């Protein structure tokens, strides 16, 4: 009963919905069937654009690198199974203290970044001597911060590429019949 999806349509629908390939694509087939039965394509594209704006593709804008060990040849005290086969030696007391101090500082910095509302993703480097941290923020957080700081954003070409303070759209007040609404988000470059 459902239309057959080709490999490209099935893959695109799976990727857009964040599914792993190989799982059933029933929802994608239902969307395709609605379009095939005459649902307005314009409404469908608007809905996809709205979903795309809510879930941006690039989540992290910045990367920080923290050292974990003073030398690559030292065993990490937190990892139990590193053995002599890896060619790693036990660290001296000073090196272990330095590792512990770096860990505490790194965790304090990362906790403060999270408390600011930023999203972080941490992972070890190949040699486990560095921690790489990806840092990002939700678009709503960036807009709120730009408005609070009165950050100047570049305007579109039709406004001569000038710079102006970022301001939120104001939907208006119901007691004034929404006559005082102010929609200005369309003037900024994206």
């Amino acid at each position: 009963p459902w239309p057959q999806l080709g490999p490209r349509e099935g893959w695109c629908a799976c990727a857009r919905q964040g599914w792993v390939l190989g799982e059933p694509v029933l929802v994608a087939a239902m969307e395709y069937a609605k379009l095939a039965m005459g649902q307005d394509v314009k409404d469908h594209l608007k809905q996809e654009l709205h979903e795309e704006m809510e879930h941006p593709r690039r989540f992290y804008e910045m990367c920080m690198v923290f050292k974990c060990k003073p030398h690559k040849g030292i065993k990490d005290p937190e990892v139990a199974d590193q053995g002599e086969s890896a060619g790693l030696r036990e660290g001296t007391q000073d090196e272990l203290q330095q590792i512990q101090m770096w860990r505490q500082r790194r965790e304090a910095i990362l906790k403060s970044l999270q408390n600011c509302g930023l999203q972080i993703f941490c992972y070890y480097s190949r040699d486990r001597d560095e921690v790489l941290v990806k840092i990002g923020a939700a678009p709503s957080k960036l807009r709120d911060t730009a408005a609070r700081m009165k950050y100047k954003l570049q305007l579109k070409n039709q406004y001569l590429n000038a710079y102006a303070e970022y301001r939120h759209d104001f939907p208006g007040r119901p007691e004034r019949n929404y006559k005082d609404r102010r929609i200005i988000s369309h003037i900024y470059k994206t």
Side-chain angles (χ1 to χ4, degrees), residues 25 28 44 50 54 59 61 68 94 99 108 121 128 139 142 152 170 183-184 186 190:
V25 290
H44 184 73
H50 181 68
E54 284 183 358
F59 297 108
E61 302 292 330
C68 289
D94 290 339
I99 290 172
F121 178 73
R128 292 189 63 90
L142 294 175
K152 294 187 181 205
F170 180 65
I183 309 296
I184 59 168
H186 65 280
T190 54

Side-chain angles (χ1 to χ4, degrees), residues 67-125:
K67 281 191 75 115
C68 289
K69 301 186 284 187
H71 306 288
K72 290 182 182 179
I74 298 174
K75 284 185 185 179
D76 190 350
E78 286 190 357
V79 179
D81 185 28
Q82 285 184 337
E84 270 56 58
S85 62
L88 302 177
R89 65 173 175 82
E90 295 289 333
T92 63
Q93 189 64 26
D94 290 339
E95 290 171 336
L96 293 177
Q97 284 178 346
Q98 189 174 26
I99 290 172
Q100 183 66 24
M101 183 182 63
W102 284 349
R103 181 178 296 118
Q104 289 173 351
R105 284 186 185 169
R106 179 178 67 241
E107 289 173 358
I109 291 170
L110 296 179
K111 193 63 168 173
S112 66
L113 289 174
Q114 282 180 325
N115 290 340
C116 291
L118 298 175
Q119 300 162 351
I120 62 171
F121 178 73
C122 304
Y123 57 95
Y124 281 104
S125 65

